[in-house]
Amino acid sequence: MRRRRTAADWRLIAREVGRFLLLALPKAGGGVFLLALNLLLVRVLDTAAFGRFAYCMTLILLADAIIGAPFDLAVIKLSGEGRAAGAATPMAAARAALHVKLAVTAGLCVVAAGLDALVGAPEDRGGLLAATLFAITSMLVVRSVQVTLQVSGRFLAYASIESLQLVLRVAFIAAAVLLLPPGAALAIAALGAGALIAAAFGGFGLQPGLLRISGRGDLPYARLSGVAFWVLATTAVGALIGRLDVLALGWLAPASGIGLFTAGQVIASIAELAGSYLAVFLTPRLVGAMRAGTTATLFRRVQGALLALAGAGLVAALLIGPLVLPVVLPPAYALSGTVALILMPGTLAAFATVPLALPLVLFRHKRALLLLDLALFPFVAAAYWLAIGQSGIIGAAIVTTSVMLLRSAAVQGIALWSLRRPLTAEHE
């Protein structure tokens, strides 16, 4: 007979749900903001200016994925180990991570200068470079503040920093659009300013030791870099493949082509964004199922529903998209609607893969993803080079959706193969 939950059980459940919402809701708000921002900018920027903005945003997000995330995950790991050993290390690990991230960012200056020469118009080349580096630095600093609050269990403070950053970004973007001549560099700088002010508030007000310069001798730089290296090795190639379409367009197409492609990609990415939000709900259930040895049951029950929703979404997109897209997009971005429809099968495949199959493979066979991405990378790069040269942004969209379908099918195949292995609950 199952034990009835007591009042203490319900209080524990309510506390965990509250913590989850404090972490998840501000992140969801940030995703919705970026989507709305792109849809706003396509109405106030021409295709070339929006292309420059989109390319630089790709560089910012790529820097966050490759520089920021591995060190933040390393902070979480070292902090957990420190607690287990009775040592209070979250602040030391976070300070070391912040110093390394800033050092790596400084090394990006030369690379960023070369990339800026590709996408910056002569009149705003320096401003675009400065704004991009400023936004990258601000994002890395605010992530360090947040991870310190997260590992310290200060979830309300974490949510306040994320919410403050979102409010400031909205305010600065609104002021830039309403009061100043809109431009790519100005929009990027407004995003960076919002992140930097939120980071300063958190670093000086909520975690006053994080931004301290002195006392670096005892910080765990070596241990942190060792952990971050393996995280970086498993994520960097996948992050590059995921954004290789826009990077390749920066080399092979004019800025206006980047703008047209990215405007369509923003609309198509709504499905993938929905999948990432579902992952926030499903990943804790997957962890519990792995501990209980019921992973296969959960996968069979949920994965079929995700695939059915993806199929229904594709049918709806093909039927409704041609009617809705001309209303959402300005006439100058008409070609972006075609790009969105081409990308839709790939993003819907990601919607069905990201919530459950992907974390399952990451938990059980993370090296498989690295090997898959390493094997795919040269072929994908060659495909973009050929497709963009022959068919421009339409060719890039076809390659992108093909790669997304292939990777999603591979991940789901690995997940199914893994579930057939006779693992006991303790090995889950």
Side-chain angles (χ1 to χ4, degrees):
M1 175 180 286
R2 294 182 61 184
R3 182 178 68 88
R4 295 184 62 183
R5 288 192 172 97
T6 65
D9 293 330
W10 286 112
R11 284 195 296 271
L12 178 61
I13 292 171
R15 185 166 63 249
E16 293 301 318
V17 170
R19 288 179 174 179
F20 165 75
L21 292 176
L22 285 172
L23 291 172
L25 289 180
K27 284 187 174 296
V32 173
F33 163 72
L34 286 178
L35 174 64
L37 172 63
N38 281 278
L39 293 178
L40 168 66
L41 291 179
V42 299
R43 295 196 169 274
V44 299
L45 299 178
D46 59 37
T47 55
F50 182 72
R52 290 190 286 273
F53 167 82
Y55 195 92
C56 291
M57 278 302 302
T58 298
L59 298 179
I60 294 167
L61 296 174
L62 195 59
D64 185 37
I66 293 180
I67 302 173
F71 287 99
D72 290 341
L73 289 173
V75 169
I76 294 172
K77 186 176 188 298
L78 291 184
S79 299
E81 292 173 353
R83 286 198 195 91
T89 62
M91 182 60 71
R95 288 185 64 207
L98 178 58
H99 297 164
V100 176
K101 288 194 288 186
L102 292 178
V104 174
T105 304
L108 287 176
C109 289
V110 175
V111 177
L115 291 172
D116 181 72
L118 292 172
V119 299
E123 65 273 11
D124 65 359
R125 192 166 284 169
L128 198 60
L129 170 61
T132 302
L133 290 173
F134 171 62
I136 288 173
T137 304
S138 300
M139 180 174 289
L140 294 177
V141 175
V142 79
R143 292 284 187 260
S144 287
V145 172
Q146 289 177 303
V147 77
T148 310
L149 296 171
Q150 183 178 350
V151 298
S152 301
R154 301 173 64 184
F155 298 107
L156 182 59
Y158 175 98
S160 69
I161 293 298
E162 187 71 22
S163 300
L164 176 62
Q165 178 182 206
L166 177 60
V167 170
L168 289 172
R169 284 177 162 186
V170 171
F172 289 147
I173 287 291
V177 171
L178 295 174
L179 303 178
L180 299 170
L186 184 62
I188 295 291
L191 294 177
L196 184 63
I197 294 175
F201 173 77
F204 291 113
L206 300 177
Q207 293 285 8
L210 179 63
L211 303 182
R212 182 163 53 92
I213 299 175
S214 61
R216 299 187 300 273
D218 297 329
L219 298 181
Y221 292 111
R223 290 179 62 208
L224 182 96
S225 298
V227 174
F229 172 80
W230 290 108
V231 178
L232 174 62
T234 58
T235 59
V237 181
L240 281 171
I241 289 179
R243 295 179 171 87
L244 193 56
D245 44 13
V246 178
L247 295 176
L249 285 167
W251 286 92
L252 302 170
S256 58
I258 304 174
L260 290 169
F261 179 86
T262 310
Q265 190 178 52
V266 166
I267 295 171
S269 68
I270 294 173
E272 191 173 2
L273 191 65
S276 68
Y277 294 154
L278 281 177
V280 176
F281 290 93
L282 289 175
T283 301
R285 293 188 63 188
L286 174 63
V287 172
M290 292 176 74
R291 289 174 179 168
T294 59
T295 310
T297 302
L298 174 67
F299 192 87
R300 284 194 299 268
R301 186 170 65 247
V302 175
Q303 192 59 44
L306 291 173
L307 290 170
L309 283 172
L314 180 59
V315 172
L318 294 177
L319 293 176
I320 301 174
L323 302 176
V324 174
L325 291 172
V327 178
V328 175
L329 295 167
Y333 288 83
L335 189 58
S336 301
T338 303
V339 171
L341 291 176
I342 294 172
L343 293 175
M344 208 60 85
T347 58
L348 284 165
F351 163 83
T353 304
V354 168
L356 195 60
L358 181 60
L360 175 61
V361 173
L362 285 172
F363 289 147
R364 282 186 162 188
H365 308 286
K366 60 182 179 182
R367 290 185 179 180
L369 287 179
L370 174 60
L371 294 174
L372 173 65
D373 288 335
L374 286 172
L376 283 177
F377 188 84
F379 298 101
V380 174
Y384 278 120
W385 183 74
L386 293 172
I388 294 173
Q390 294 181 1
S391 305
I393 64 171
I394 298 300
I398 293 172
V399 174
T400 296
T401 203
S402 300
V403 172
M404 294 182 79
L405 288 169
L406 178 60
R407 292 180 80 205
S408 295
V411 168
Q412 297 210 32
I414 295 171
L416 289 172
W417 169 80
S418 177
L419 291 173
R420 294 193 179 100
R421 298 179 67 195
L423 295 180
T424 58
E426 63 265 25
H427 290 103
E428 291 250 341

